């Protein structure tokens, strides 16, 4: 759909600025198959959105620019490699528009932490530009652009809980009951996702890696909101690779377990580690113990599921 008639209307909304809030994610199951000919890996990837958020604000500008604020803002690229910038370019190109927009990212999701912070900014910018330019793209059109931006970007748009297959970009939404409580231990520095997949390949050299399949017990634990059952079924096939590249993560995982977490695992490709806990009180205790342990930079409590990318009023 051409947005030419709708563009002026969108520019008048909220003084010409649109802000979108987007959640981080944790992978409660990350089953990884062998490397494909295109270099990607087939996944059975069970995503759960968590209540740590980035906000992306799109404002009309003379040209495409990106700025970022937050504790790790200096680690965020502000050029066209930023997924937020790429999202604006892709959306504009599809509609024959020039991506003349300023994108400001208020960053709270750990950078290069395995929590899809970059993907969140891509999905956020896409939704913000779509609203700013009055394009009213369908959900299917947005998801298509998200998949082009990266394997985790469609989930950042959708939020909640979902099973991702293929590269992780083909989603089926999953039912979840109640709220799960988490603590995330943020490490010093990031890990490169391609490097972690490369280490996965190196560790599995000569191994017949099985087809990735979602765990029925894990899906049932999500559906019934049973944290103890979920704790027993959490798995991340990238964890040995992430720990191999960052051996200090073992001490963080042990510190959280010793503090009473129901389960501990590396979040996605890491190096953030995720601790499932019983309730908000346990989250406070585990976060304090992790911080005191000196095995991480900071510990953050969060809950899931969280809504996907949302335009703020
Ligand atoms: O899709 P995305 O750009 O996020 O992927 C980053 C990198 O992670 C890829 O270039 C690839 O090395 C690795 N990857 C993979 N298999 C996937 C998803 C990502 O090997 N399913």
């Amino acid at each position: 759909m051409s947005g030419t008639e709708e563009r002026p209307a969108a520019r008048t909304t909220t003084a010409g600025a649109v802000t979108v809030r987007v959640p981080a994610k944790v992978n409660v199951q990350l089953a990884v198959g062998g490397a494909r000919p295109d270099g990607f890996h087939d996944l059975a990837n069970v995503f759960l959105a968590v209540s740590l958020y980035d906000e992306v604000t799109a404002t009309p500008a003379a040209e495409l620019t990106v700025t970022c604020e937050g504790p790790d803002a200096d680690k965020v690229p502000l050029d066209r490699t930023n997924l937020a910038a790429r999202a604006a370019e892709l959306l504009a190109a599809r509609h024959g528009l020039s991506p003349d927009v300023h994108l400001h990212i208020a960053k709270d999701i750990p950078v290069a932490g395995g929590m899809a912070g970059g993907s969140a900014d891509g999905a956020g910018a896409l939704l913000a530009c779509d609203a700013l330019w009055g394009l009213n793209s369908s959900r299917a059109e947005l998801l298509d652009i998200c998949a082009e931006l990266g394997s985790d970007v469609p989930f950042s748009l959708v939020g909640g809980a979902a099973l991702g297959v293929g590269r992780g970009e083909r989603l089926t939404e999953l039912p979840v009951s109640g709220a799960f409580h988490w603590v995330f231990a943020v490490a010093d520095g990031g890990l490169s996702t391609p490097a972690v997949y490369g280490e996965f390949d190196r560790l599995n050299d000569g191994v017949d890696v099985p087809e990735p399949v979602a765990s029925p017990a894990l899906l049932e634990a999500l559906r019934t909101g049973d944290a103890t059952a979920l704790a027993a079924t959490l798995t991340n096939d990238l964890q040995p690779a992430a720990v191999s590249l960052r051996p200090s993560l073992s001490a963080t995982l042990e510190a959280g377990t010793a503090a009473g977490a129901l389960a501990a695992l590396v979040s996605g490709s890491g190096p953030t580690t995720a601790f499932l806990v019983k309730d908000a009180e346990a989250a406070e205790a585990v976060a304090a113990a992790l911080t005191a342990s000196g095995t991480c930079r900071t510990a953050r409590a969060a809950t899931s599921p969280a809504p996907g990318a949302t335009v703020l009023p």
Side-chain angles (χ1 to χ4, degrees):
M1 187 200 307
S2 156
T4 41
E5 311 98 88
E6 288 133 319
R7 279 184 73 186
R11 281 177 173 165
T12 62
T13 59
T14 57
V18 176
T19 297
V20 173
R21 192 182 76 157
V22 200
K25 60 84 181 163
V26 63
N27 306 87
V28 286
Q29 182 185 6
L30 185 41
V32 182
R36 311 191 311 200
D38 66 0
F40 283 88
H41 297 71
D42 275 322
L43 305 178
N45 192 349
V46 183
F47 294 101
L48 196 54
V50 302
S51 63
L52 301 178
Y53 301 95
D54 281 359
E55 285 183 9
V56 182
T57 299
T59 318
E63 58 177 351
L64 176 56
T65 49
V66 180
T67 52
C68 184
E69 67 174 285
D72 290 333
D74 58 321
K75 300 189 187 78
V76 175
L78 302 178
D79 60 13
R80 302 287 168 107
T81 62
N82 189 303
L83 283 182
R86 289 194 46 218
E89 284 180 324
L90 275 181
L91 182 68
R94 287 207 180 191
H95 292 269
L97 301 171
S98 177
D100 299 330
V101 66
H102 174 64
L103 298 169
H104 181 71
I105 302 166
K107 178 147 279 299
D108 196 38
I109 303 174
V111 177
M115 297 192 75
S119 300
D121 301 342
L126 185 65
L127 199 56
C129 290
D130 191 70
L132 186 72
W133 298 335
L135 299 174
N136 282 316
S137 299
S138 67
R139 181 64 40 145
E141 285 169 319
L142 293 176
L143 283 172
D144 196 45
I145 297 175
C146 286
E148 201 173 328
L149 287 167
S151 307
D152 289 349
V153 184
F155 180 71
S156 298
L157 188 76
V158 169
L163 169 64
V165 298
R167 291 186 283 123
E169 87 286 14
R170 296 204 322 260
L171 298 178
T172 307
E173 291 186 52
L174 296 172
V176 188
S177 298
F180 293 100
H181 294 263
W182 297 91
V183 176
F184 294 96
V186 182
D188 271 323
L191 268 178
S192 141
T193 303
V196 174
Y197 275 102
E199 182 68 358
F200 172 90
D201 290 338
R202 196 184 68 79
L203 294 175
N204 288 288
D205 191 27
V207 175
D208 194 11
V209 179
E211 284 289 300
V213 182
S215 153
L218 180 133
L219 300 184
E220 180 64 6
L222 286 178
R223 197 184 64 75
T224 56
D226 184 336
T228 307
L230 183 64
T233 52
L234 292 173
T235 54
N236 179 359
D237 288 353
L238 290 182
Q239 181 159 318
V243 173
S244 168
L245 294 177
R246 190 73 68 85
S248 62
L249 293 182
S250 296
T252 320
L253 292 165
E254 277 163 27
T257 308
L262 299 173
L265 85 170
V266 169
S267 177
S269 56
T272 305
T273 41
F275 302 87
L276 182 63
V277 295
K278 194 163 53 88
D279 52 25
E281 206 179 312
E284 227 173 89
V286 169
L290 278 164
T291 305
S293 74
T295 61
C296 61
R297 180 153 60 92
T298 172
R300 311 273 312 270
T303 58
S304 59
T310 309
V311 176
L312 297 182

